[in-house]
Amino acid sequence: MSPRICNYYITLQCNDTCEFCQCWRQAGEEEHGMSGEQGKGILKELRIKGITHLNITGGEPLLNEDLPQIMKEAKRLGFRVDLTTNGILYNEKARLIGGLADKLFFSLDYPIVSEHDRSRGVDCFTEVISAVKLAGKLGENPIINFTLTRDSVRFLPEMVDLSEKLKAPVYLNPVYDFYGTQGFDPATLEHIKYFGRRKNVMVDLAVLEFIRRRGNQVILPRCRAAETTVTVLP
C-alpha cells in the first residue's frame, strides 16, 4: 500500500496557545516555517510518491506569508487540498486563498465565548464565527472543526446547534491524550457516535473505535497510518 495522504505542517508558529496542543510551545525551533520555494519542491516530491490528498495545518497556516503560492502550486499539481485554521487571520487573508481549498476547517473548542477563549489562551471566538460566515459568503466550503476533549464534549449538543445556525457542517475531532489530556470512556464515545448520525455532523467511526481500544493492536493493527500517510514538518 503506497501513501496517499500528507499531513503538511506548513509552520509551527501559532497565534493561539491551546491547552491541548504542543505546537506553539515548540515553535521556537523554526522562525518562519516553509518558504514558497521549499514548499513547491516538496509538493513535487509528494506527487512523485503518489500523494493525492494534502492536509495543510500547523501551527497556524495563515501566519505563513507563502501559503497562497504553495496552495496555488498544490492545486496546479492536482492535489485535493484541505486547510485547517483557527480563523483569527481569515477575514484579512480570505481572498488570498480563495478557491484554493477543497475543504476549509475552522477550529472551535467550545460553542461558548468564554470557554473557547480560555481554551485557546486568546480572545478569538468572535473572529472564528466571523470567519465561518465570511467563508460561506465567498462560496467556500467551511467546516467547524470541533476539538473534543473530556471537558468540551459536554457541550456537544450546543455545538451542533451552533453549526446549524451557521449553516456549516461540524467535524467531531477527538483530541488524544498525547499531552496529558484525558481520554474518553465508552459511554462518551457512544454519545459522540449518537450525534454523528445527524445530517450536518461528521465523525470518523474508525477513530472512535481506535480510542475505545486504547490504541493499536500489535498483531493485527487497526491503524495503518505509517503505510498510508506522510507527514511534512518545517
Side-chain angles (χ1 to χ4, degrees), residues 184-198:
F184 300 99
D185 56 35
T188 301
L189 293 174
E190 289 302 315
H191 181 62
I192 296 171
K193 190 183 297 184
Y194 172 79
F195 276 91
R197 299 190 185 104
R198 298 277 286 269

Side-chain angles (χ1 to χ4, degrees), residues 11 14 35-36 68 70 80 111 129 132 137 141 155 166 169 173 229:
T11 182
C14 196
S35 72
I70 293 174
R80 173 189 160 190
I129 300 301
V132 173
K137 289 179 181 177
N141 186 19
F155 300 93
L166 293 172
N173 184 20
T229 307

Side-chain angles (χ1 to χ4, degrees), residues 23-43:
C23 281
W24 60 272
R25 293 183 176 93
Q26 300 169 349
E29 298 173 5
E30 50 92 35
E31 290 287 330
H32 307 293
M34 207 81 65
S35 72
E37 290 307 310
Q38 286 176 321
K40 290 178 182 179
I42 289 171
L43 290 176

Side-chain angles (χ1 to χ4, degrees), residues 64-90:
N64 190 318
E65 296 296 331
D66 291 331
L67 175 64
Q69 62 174 291
I70 293 174
M71 291 182 70
K72 287 177 183 176
E73 179 68 5
K75 295 306 291 183
R76 187 187 73 81
L77 292 172
F79 285 99
R80 173 189 160 190
V81 179
D82 294 348
L83 176 69
T84 301
T85 173
N86 59 29
I88 295 175
L89 294 174
Y90 183 75

